[in-house]
Amino acid sequence: MQNLKADIEEVVKNLKLSDKNSLNNIYLHLFDSSEESFINLDTGEITKKLSHDNYGLIIKMSVETFNELKNNEKHPEDLMFEEKIKISGDLKLLQQ
């Protein structure tokens, strides 16, 4: 997996959340054929696995899917319909 920190910062900057404090409880779970990582959307901290069970929300997708979103090649709803994005946890954290 290449360095995604700048891409993640750009995604977070474009989120329209009413409460940015909720980002601390949201993780992006990215994976490819060789590795997987959890990225905290608030701190940008990258870890190989979550060390706790009290996360609020996990958004899981492949690095390829992330790049399709980032490059505006696909709409998020289409990717969810195709089951390329999986979301688990408290969806209220994403409310605007």
Side-chain angles (χ1 to χ4, degrees):
M1 233 179 274
Q2 297 178 352
N3 183 359
L4 297 169
K5 191 164 185 155
D7 294 335
I8 299 297
E9 288 175 0
E10 186 67 25
V11 168
V12 169
K13 186 173 77 174
N14 290 323
L15 285 175
K16 295 178 174 123
L17 300 175
S18 58
D19 183 7
K20 295 283 186 185
N21 292 327
S22 64
L23 287 176
N24 191 44
N25 295 315
I26 300 174
Y27 289 85
L28 184 58
H29 180 186
L30 293 179
F31 60 92
D32 63 17
S33 60
S34 63
E35 69 178 304
E36 63 183 294
S37 299
F38 291 88
I39 301 125
N40 180 285
L41 292 188
D42 183 38
T43 65
E45 179 184 353
I46 300 173
T47 184
K48 297 297 176 200
K49 71 181 221 176
L50 293 178
S51 60
H52 54 79
D53 292 331
N54 62 346
Y55 58 83
L57 185 72
I58 294 179
I59 303 168
K60 182 178 180 179
M61 69 184 80
S62 69
V63 173
E64 178 184 353
T65 299
F66 177 79
N67 287 328
E68 288 176 337
L69 285 172
K70 178 186 70 158
N71 297 328
N72 291 319
E73 295 169 11
K74 293 252 184 163
H75 192 275
E77 290 177 6
D78 295 335
L79 291 167
M80 288 181 70
F81 182 73
E82 295 170 13
E83 296 186 5
K84 291 189 175 187
I85 298 175
K86 297 186 184 200
I87 298 175
S88 61
D90 185 0
L91 293 176
K92 291 179 186 175
L93 294 173
L94 291 177
Q95 289 181 338
Q96 296 181 11

